[in-house]
Amino acid sequence: MIALKLTDIKSFMNQLLCSDTFDHFLLSEASITKDATFTIDGHINAAFYSEEEREEAGLSGLAILPYSKLRSVCYQLIRGRQTPLFFKFVLMLSPQNTANVLARSGSSYLPSDISGIFINIIFQNGTLHLTTGISYTVFSTDRGLEHEWNLLIKKFLTKHAIPYDEY
């Protein structure tokens, strides 16, 4: 796990809410506190879609909605004259991207050993933070996957000109 302070909040928020920069992630959950607290559970409600609709929307095999499907909702909740008091976005890799990171890391983990590979974006007290994390279904002392994920996030931020400071 790494913890980073995102130093250009306005630019980052523009990329998070108004561009496709984070669209390849899934939105596990979001919480936005303004005059009220709004909570989004990104888990797909299976009863909402027919199997054909899920397939057409590219949701087959997913338990969590892509961030791209919820980005406009998040934007509508955050936008306005006043800055939110708090927000938290928990983004995770899709099963395919999880498999890609596993292969790239050279670790001994199997996709079934991983519940999720995450980034957490938290705005609180005027500061924006990003942390990484991995949820495992098995115990191991192998931290190769975590190191690879941390490096990939730093490369991702650099590629998208998102400045940060390390703690």
Side-chain angles (χ1 to χ4, degrees):
M1 180 186 111
I2 57 171
L4 307 172
K5 178 181 177 184
L6 303 175
T7 57
D8 187 345
I9 295 172
K10 184 176 181 178
S11 173
F12 178 82
M13 293 307 295
N14 187 52
Q15 289 198 53
L16 180 67
L17 299 171
C18 302
S19 78
D20 63 357
T21 303
F22 292 89
D23 282 0
H24 63 280
F25 286 95
L26 306 177
L27 182 64
S28 179
E29 65 180 82
S31 178
I32 300 163
T33 302
K34 292 175 65 170
D35 53 343
T37 298
F38 304 90
T39 305
I40 299 171
D41 178 353
H43 289 81
I44 295 173
N45 184 349
F48 188 75
Y49 297 99
S50 70
E51 189 57 44
E52 184 178 289
E53 289 171 324
R54 281 180 71 136
E55 196 169 309
E56 287 174 10
L59 302 176
S60 294
L62 296 179
I64 298 172
L65 283 169
Y67 177 64
S68 61
K69 301 273 188 209
L70 296 166
R71 180 167 33 97
S72 64
V73 172
C74 296
Y75 173 75
Q76 292 300 320
L77 290 171
I78 287 180
R79 71 177 230 165
R81 290 184 317 204
Q82 290 185 287
T83 303
L85 299 171
F86 170 87
F87 65 75
K88 177 180 179 180
F89 289 81
V90 178
L91 301 174
M92 71 183 282
L93 288 182
S94 67
Q96 171 143 5
N97 285 333
T98 296
N100 293 342
V101 171
L102 278 170
R104 184 178 174 145
S105 74
S107 83
S108 59
Y109 291 111
L110 301 171
S112 61
D113 298 334
I114 308 299
S115 297
I117 299 178
F118 301 93
I119 59 172
N120 303 293
I121 301 162
I122 300 171
F123 177 79
Q124 188 171 22
N125 299 325
T127 307
L128 189 58
H129 302 275
L130 182 147
T131 60
T132 60
I134 300 176
S135 178
Y136 299 94
T137 61
V138 296
F139 176 78
S140 174
T141 57
D142 177 3
R143 297 294 170 237
L145 179 59
E146 288 177 38
H147 294 298
E148 182 66 25
W149 179 231
N150 295 339
L151 287 172
L152 287 172
I153 284 300
K154 289 178 182 178
K155 287 179 183 177
F156 174 82
L157 295 174
T158 301
K159 175 183 173 187
H160 293 285
I162 299 171
Y164 62 89
D165 291 332
E166 292 189 54
Y167 287 102

